[in-house]
Amino acid sequence: APRFRNPFIVRIMDTPLPPTWKGVTLDKYDNTTDLNEYIDIYVAQVGLCTLDDVVLCKVFPTSLKGKALSWFTGLQRDP
């Protein structure tokens, strides 16, 4: 079986980003600050562009760096 670099199901990966998507403008999370606060900021930023939870999930890894990104890309997808 191929190894994916994210735990997302095909539906999430196949969902296109909105045509007006420009990304989020916040510091990337690196596991050195409060995670709950970061998630609140992330949801607020993404919510300015879309209310689609699938997009919220799909772009989440782009907001991570360092150990947080390594952890995320190592998550296993449910069969």
Side-chain angles (χ1 to χ4, degrees):
R3 183 186 186 293
F4 296 95
R5 302 276 308 162
N6 64 64
F8 296 136
I9 61 173
V10 172
R11 182 172 83 87
I12 290 175
M13 294 310 299
D14 285 350
T15 298
L17 295 176
T20 58
W21 181 258
K22 297 198 185 328
V24 291
T25 56
L26 68 153
D27 292 335
K28 293 183 183 254
Y29 181 75
D30 63 1
N31 201 32
T32 61
T33 57
D34 183 87
L35 176 60
N36 290 321
E37 180 182 15
Y38 182 79
I39 295 294
D40 289 343
I41 293 167
Y42 173 79
V43 170
Q45 286 285 319
V46 175
L48 295 173
C49 301
T50 182
L51 298 176
D52 188 338
D53 285 345
V54 171
V55 174
L56 183 85
C57 291
K58 184 173 183 172
V59 300
F60 181 68
T62 68
S63 75
L64 305 174
K65 69 178 182 179
K67 290 180 180 182
L69 181 58
S70 295
W71 166 81
F72 186 84
T73 58
L75 291 174
Q76 295 299 309
R77 164 186 314 214
D78 282 340

